[in-house]
Amino acid sequence: VPLAEKALIARIRRMADLAPGRTPKHTRAAHAFLEKGIGDDCAVLRVLPRTELLVTTDFSLEGVHFRRDWHSPESVGHRCLARGLSDIAAMGGEALAAFLSLALPRDLSQVWVDRFARGLINLAEKNKVPLAGGDTAQSPDRILADIVVLGTVPQGKAILRSGAHPGDCIYVTGELGGSASAVVEMRETKRKLNARSYPRHFFPVPRINIGRVLREQKIASAMIDLSDGLSTDLAHICQESRVGAEISVTAIPRARVGSPAREVDLELALHGGEDYELLFTAPANQRVPAKIGGVPVTRIGAITRGHKISLKDAGGRAHELQPRGWEHFRR
Ligand SMILES: [Mg+2]
């Protein structure tokens, strides 16, 4: 049985304050914008002049976004926060603070909750984001976690989905399809996977630093994070920018997964979700580095007039690409 609300909050607060290598004093110094975190009616955050606040909220629902028999509690906690941080990255923002609301069934062990919190707090520490508050409640039977992440961006500098123009080139960071391939594998084999062979599924790295570089160096004209899958997320950019796109099959960087490592199917790279890489556009004459922070950046196509999205096959023929995004773990 998980601890009662007060005790649970006190425990998570202690874990957040005493994460490895940290003292409460450290926490205060690292989190310079946090005037008051857990322990009052509201968190109090300092906001610099001429900055804008980014707010994103994401559910992690048992049976939809994760399964207790597939994902370790640490992975569930990590992925829960990664979803929010990835949205901040997609705007070119810096993460300011995270807020967690948890609804837990009575039959859940406190050990599960502790391990979940550890996974979440480890990622928070890596990104210097304080867990600054939240809420807990009892859930009738499944685990529900809702993460809110606040971020900042200099006034008027957020990178929107709506900034792409015909002629812009289209880029992705990292490799695609790795996360979805883990789900396919677990569904087919009906057993747990070694998280180390599928890090992009179990412990995805939100691309906060890359997003910031793309904003600071004024490289990206439009951006989104790849949470639903390339075909769907590219359609979001095209819709908001009122443009079309043409991408090329041979250019799409496919993830290598498992051991021994093998390249994922094209279908997964095109439609598989939850890679949490960045998809962005840049003017054709804009220089774009081949790597940012050690992560490859690959040009996969170009923005076109109109509203169609097409996929050029290896022979150079174009086919219309339908958005067939990710349905999480629903059958
Ligand atoms: Mg997003």
Side-chain angles (χ1 to χ4, degrees):
V1 178
L3 291 167
E5 178 166 7
K6 251 190 175 163
L8 181 60
I9 292 170
R11 193 176 177 93
I12 291 177
R13 177 184 188 177
R14 216 164 41 241
M15 288 174 77
D17 280 348
L18 297 175
R22 261 191 200 297
T23 66
K25 215 168 120 196
H26 263 106
T27 306
R28 276 194 295 277
H31 303 145
F33 298 105
L34 185 66
E35 184 70 38
K36 179 76 204 173
I38 300 172
D40 218 302
D41 294 296
C42 286
V44 182
L45 301 169
R46 233 166 276 136
V47 186
L48 293 177
R50 288 184 295 282
T51 63
E52 287 169 341
L53 206 50
L54 306 171
V55 185
T56 175
T57 143
D58 285 283
F59 265 129
S60 291
L61 307 180
E62 183 178 2
V64 179
H65 302 95
F66 68 92
R67 284 174 50 163
R68 253 187 272 180
D69 54 342
W70 284 357
H71 298 91
S72 69
E74 288 86 353
S75 167
V76 178
H78 179 107
R79 295 170 84 240
C80 174
L81 178 60
R83 288 158 66 77
L85 291 178
S86 181
D87 281 330
I88 299 293
M91 309 298 285
E94 318 239 13
L96 188 65
F99 299 84
L100 172 70
S101 294
L102 261 183
L104 304 171
R106 274 189 60 83
D107 69 356
L108 193 69
S109 72
Q110 181 57 37
V111 172
W112 194 98
V113 183
D114 286 350
R115 291 178 57 190
F116 166 90
R118 200 166 302 131
L120 191 146
I121 289 165
N122 279 350
L123 181 64
E125 284 296 315
K126 263 185 207 146
N127 286 275
K128 299 193 167 57
V129 188
L131 179 61
D135 194 16
T136 65
Q138 202 181 99
S139 151
D141 74 316
R142 291 179 177 210
I143 302 163
L144 304 97
D146 183 42
I147 193 88
V148 175
V149 181
L150 302 191
T152 57
V153 77
Q155 204 165 68
K157 301 295 185 202
I159 304 172
L160 307 178
R161 296 176 180 181
S162 54
H165 295 285
D168 284 2
C169 296
I170 304 170
Y171 299 85
V172 290
T173 63
E175 288 93 29
L176 309 185
S179 182
S181 77
V183 177
V184 170
E185 189 81 15
M186 288 187 286
R187 192 170 280 162
E188 282 174 358
T189 61
K190 296 196 171 26
R191 59 183 177 79
K192 250 182 142 146
L193 288 176
N194 182 345
R196 258 175 262 150
S197 303
Y198 292 83
R200 295 296 300 165
H201 178 75
F202 293 99
F203 295 95
V205 181
R207 302 304 194 189
I208 293 265
N209 290 336
I210 300 179
R212 191 186 41 230
V213 167
L214 292 172
R215 169 181 51 82
E216 283 173 349
Q217 301 187 6
K218 301 186 173 66
I219 293 171
S221 50
M223 185 149 66
I224 190 170
D225 66 316
L226 288 169
S227 53
D228 294 337
L230 176 61
S231 63
T232 299
D233 290 320
L234 179 57
H236 289 319
I237 283 198
C238 288
Q239 196 166 12
E240 292 300 318
S241 297
R242 298 164 190 273
V243 294
E246 183 174 86
I247 59 174
S248 153
V249 162
T250 51
I252 295 170
R254 295 195 221 169
R256 297 178 62 77
V257 295
S259 63
R262 58 187 163 73
E263 211 170 55
V264 301
D265 290 346
L266 176 65
E267 288 294 295
L268 292 183
L270 282 175
H271 308 295
E274 302 191 308
D275 282 315
Y276 300 115
E277 295 293 348
L278 295 175
L279 170 68
F280 66 95
T281 61
N285 61 3
Q286 171 68 51
R287 209 191 71 82
V288 177
K291 275 188 178 184
I292 300 177
V295 178
V297 177
T298 310
R299 189 186 145 184
I300 60 166
I303 295 294
T304 58
R305 287 181 199 288
H307 59 269
K308 269 204 196 122
I309 301 178
S310 56
L311 179 67
K312 227 166 50 184
D313 65 24
R317 271 182 309 267
H319 310 265
E320 190 166 349
L321 178 66
Q322 295 294 340
R324 285 204 282 115
W326 194 228
E327 281 288 302
H328 298 293
F329 300 113
R330 267 191 279 257
R331 293 259 160 192

